[in-house]
Each structure stands twice: as structure tokens, then as C-alpha cells.
Amino acid sequence: MSSPRTRRWVFLLKKGYQDTDTSLQSSIITKVKGVTFTNTSELGERLWDVADYVIPPQGENVFFVITNLIVTPNQRQETCAESDSISDALCYEDSDCPPGKPVMTGNGVRTGRCLRVENMTRGTCEIFAWCPVETKSRPEKPLLGKAEDFTIYIKNFIRFPKFNFFKTNVLDTKDLKYLKSCHFGPKDPYCPIFRLGSVVKWTGSNFQEIALQGGVIGIQIEWDCDLDKAPSECNPRYYFSRLDSRFPGNSVSSGYNFRFAKYYRDGAGVEFRTLMKAYGIRFDVMVNGRAGKFSIIPTVINVGSGVALMGVGSFLCDLVLIYLIKKSHFYRNKKFEEVRSGHPVAANGKANVEQLQNLQTVEA
């Protein structure tokens, strides 16, 4: 059994005298800032700002930063050959391409023709789709490798409804220049501006590697508030982790990417688009916490329970030691002693029958 000192220590450490609230209400606002310049054959010279590389632009608790791209420009809805990397679209004759049947893992609907290059016996089905179809492979270097120096602004409002307690992770200051110059760190924990490269580094990952094929980063904000202390003692703690599975080599399961398109119309009013397969980093901002405050009800309940357990524990220990172990007589002799009444004993050493001693057992 634990000692009274141990029980008191646990009672204070676990704050058994407090009422708690774990139903944290939270709101997240995020903003990414930074610009970079690229010059590619598909896009030419281009300046990238936050409106180009952040999806969605509203600044939610889940957002995506583009770091690499496969660009297929000037696509129009017409007929063309399906990509030869799609096994479902390979053919030897027109009958292998039933018209109207979609290429489920491809880009369009078969027209009924098998297109072959020169004298090759095998070709690919002709499809009606956004043509030309995507055929390029992922670049060997991330297009937006300099995104490492971009910054993320994470503003978090919290409320513990049971105690009507509000707090935010931003320093309460009237200095308008503060957020323009500060960066999160041990010396400035109330600056909610994080460098992208630092966040990735804190997860144990390399930014250029994750920028090449994409990944998922978790940013967890934890609030553990003792409301018996001043509100300034309720501070956020940040934890950073890599959430997607990292496989060795170039596994097909590695990375994170998706496709989207930007649509236009030419002078004749015909619609065309630029298709982009975007690789990048998805950020998930998660918030949890608990708050505690002194309350007489849990204090009385925990103190009463402790007192009751002390009595029950002592009784159970005695029960085991006196009746259930092999050397119970030894413990019984130590626990109790026999006291004789003060009647004289006969000279011959034999007790008089009329003077039988009354034996009584008293607890030592």
C-alpha cells in the first residue's frame, strides 16, 4: 500500500482538487507569405506569389503549398492518342477500342480507332479528351525549391466553455511591427510565424526531398491550462511531425500530389486549359487541450475516497496476513498479545480450578 505522503503527492500532482474541461473550442487562421521566380519551357518567366501556390486561398487549418509541378499547357477537347503508359489503352486493331467505352485509368473515351506509329504492330486507342494528354514525368528538382524560406502565420483562438476562458497564441501587443519582424522560437514562443524550412526540419525531414514529391506535415498546438494561476501561465506548446508514410526509394506510395486546371477562352470563344499536376506539402494544424480549476466538489470526493481507501487497505492487509499466509501465526503473535488476569498461582505450580485465569486477547 502507498504511504499517506505518496497519496498526498499524487493528489497534488494530478490536481485531484480541480474540476476539468476538455471540450476545447478552437479556431485556426493561416496565412503563407513569400515570392519566388521560375523560368521553364512550359510557363516561361513567372513570378509565384501566395495566390499561385497556396490551396485553398482562404487560410484554413488544412492547406497545401505547391513545391513542384508537371505542366501540360493548351489542352483542348478533341481527339488524340491515349498515353502509351496506360495499359488499358494498348491495342492491336480497332476492335480493341470499342467506341464510347472510357479508359478507366486514362484520360478519355475511346473512339473506336487503334492508332499505330509507322509500321508498329501495337498502338494505343484514340480517345476524345483534353488533348494533348499528360505525358511528362516529374522534374528531378523541385520547381519551387526556394519555398523553404516562405513563412506560415498560424493564429489560434481557444475557449474552454465550462470556465468561459479565452486565449490566443499571439502576443498581446499594440506594436504593429511585431508580426512583421518576429519568428517563432524558444526566445519568442508567442510569435506565430514559422519558417517553412524550419517546420520541415523539426519533423526530421529534408525540405528539398519532401518538396520534390510532396508529403504531409502535422502541426499540433497543445493547451494545458491551470486556471488557478494567472492567465499568462496558460501557454501553447507546439509539436511537429511527418504524417505521411515515408517509403525507401521511389515507392509508388511515396509523396503527395493532385491535379487541377486553369481554364481560358481563345479569340473564337473556344475553351482551353492548362493542366497542372501539383506536388507539395500539405499542412494539418490540430489543436487540443484541457483546463483545470479548483472546485470543492472534486476535492471532497477525492479526499473522501482516499480516506476510505486507507481504511479498506489496512483491513485487507490484516485479513491476508492473519488468515491466508503460511506463517500467519507469526504475524498474529506480533499483532496481538495475551494478558492474564492478576489471580495468584498455587505453590505447586498448578492452578486452582476455582482460580482459573480469564484469558483475554487485546490488540497490541
Side-chain angles (χ1 to χ4, degrees):
M1 293 295 293
S2 60
S3 66
R5 180 179 297 177
T6 302
R7 285 188 289 269
R8 287 194 298 268
W9 181 77
V10 172
F11 176 76
L12 295 175
L13 180 66
K14 298 298 184 181
K15 296 182 175 63
Y17 54 87
Q18 289 185 336
D19 190 11
T20 60
D21 185 5
T22 57
S23 57
L24 176 69
Q25 297 174 348
S26 173
S27 176
I28 293 289
I29 298 172
T30 58
K31 293 180 182 179
V32 181
K33 287 190 176 181
V35 294
T36 190
F37 176 82
T38 62
N39 187 357
T40 63
S41 57
E42 296 88 358
L43 299 173
E45 295 184 348
R46 180 164 182 171
L47 180 73
W48 294 80
D49 64 12
V50 64
D52 297 312
Y53 59 75
V54 175
I55 302 172
Q58 292 93 336
E60 302 175 356
N61 63 318
V62 177
F63 60 96
F64 179 83
V65 176
I66 297 173
T67 56
N68 206 6
L69 279 175
I70 297 176
V71 181
T72 308
N74 198 29
Q75 284 189 324
R76 299 172 185 269
Q77 290 199 7
E78 54 193 14
T79 58
C80 58
E82 178 61 280
S83 171
D84 57 8
S85 64
I86 308 298
S87 58
D88 190 31
L90 299 179
C91 60
Y92 292 92
E93 53 188 22
D94 290 348
S95 60
D96 295 330
C97 304
K101 185 177 180 180
V103 182
M104 298 305 299
T105 59
N107 299 281
V109 177
R110 296 175 176 88
T111 63
R113 296 178 59 197
C114 180
L115 303 180
R116 290 179 291 274
V117 178
E118 297 179 351
N119 296 325
M120 295 184 63
T121 58
R122 191 179 71 175
T124 56
C125 293
E126 182 184 63
I127 57 172
F128 179 77
W130 286 97
C131 298
V133 297
E134 178 185 285
T135 57
K136 294 183 179 180
S137 58
R138 186 184 67 208
E140 295 181 357
K141 293 184 179 181
L143 179 67
L144 302 184
K146 294 183 179 179
E148 190 170 5
D149 293 322
F150 293 173
T151 59
I152 313 172
Y153 170 53
I154 304 175
K155 191 172 185 178
N156 180 212
F157 298 96
I158 64 160
R159 175 176 179 262
F160 289 102
K162 182 181 288 188
F163 306 119
N164 198 31
F165 177 80
F166 298 83
K167 195 75 187 282
T168 181
N169 66 329
V170 183
L171 182 68
D172 186 11
T173 178
K174 295 182 180 179
D175 185 2
L176 299 179
K177 297 180 180 179
Y178 173 70
L179 291 178
K180 295 181 179 180
S181 58
C182 73
H183 282 85
F184 174 82
K187 296 182 180 180
D188 205 350
Y190 268 88
C191 176
I193 297 179
F194 305 82
R195 180 175 171 271
L196 223 63
S198 298
V199 171
V200 174
K201 181 181 178 181
W202 292 332
T203 69
S205 301
N206 179 275
F207 183 84
Q208 295 301 319
E209 291 179 0
I210 194 174
L212 183 64
Q213 59 183 6
V216 183
I217 299 294
I219 302 175
Q220 182 173 327
I221 307 176
E222 186 175 294
W223 297 84
D224 189 0
C225 300
D226 186 350
L227 301 186
D228 292 326
K229 300 179 180 179
S232 60
E233 297 295 318
C234 175
N235 300 317
R237 292 183 179 180
Y238 296 89
Y239 301 92
F240 307 90
S241 57
R242 179 86 179 264
L243 300 182
D244 62 307
S245 298
R246 285 174 285 181
F247 297 92
N250 294 319
S251 169
V252 294
S253 300
S254 299
Y256 183 85
N257 64 79
F258 63 91
R259 292 176 175 84
F260 68 96
K262 293 187 176 182
Y263 295 85
Y264 313 90
R265 289 188 182 275
D266 59 19
V270 179
E271 186 179 44
F272 65 100
R273 75 179 190 183
T274 296
L275 177 67
M276 298 186 183
K277 183 177 182 180
Y279 297 82
I281 307 173
R282 167 176 159 154
F283 293 90
D284 288 28
V285 184
M286 301 161 285
V287 183
N288 58 52
R290 73 181 287 280
K293 191 174 185 179
F294 174 79
S295 176
I296 191 63
I297 295 177
T299 301
V300 172
I301 291 175
N302 284 296
V303 169
S305 299
V307 172
L309 287 173
M310 288 170 62
V312 171
S314 178
F315 170 76
L316 291 176
C317 285
D318 285 346
L319 186 65
V320 171
L321 292 172
I322 294 175
Y323 297 105
L324 301 181
I325 65 176
K326 292 182 179 180
K327 296 184 179 181
S328 59
H329 64 279
F330 176 79
Y331 179 77
R332 189 182 298 112
N333 291 337
K334 294 295 183 181
K335 180 76 174 176
F336 302 99
E337 67 177 2
E338 291 183 351
V339 178
R340 297 178 180 271
S341 60
H343 296 286
V345 181
N348 59 3
K350 295 183 179 179
N352 192 309
V353 176
E354 294 179 356
Q355 295 178 341
L356 288 176
Q357 297 174 352
N358 297 320
L359 299 176
Q360 52 182 331
T361 304
V362 296
E363 186 172 350

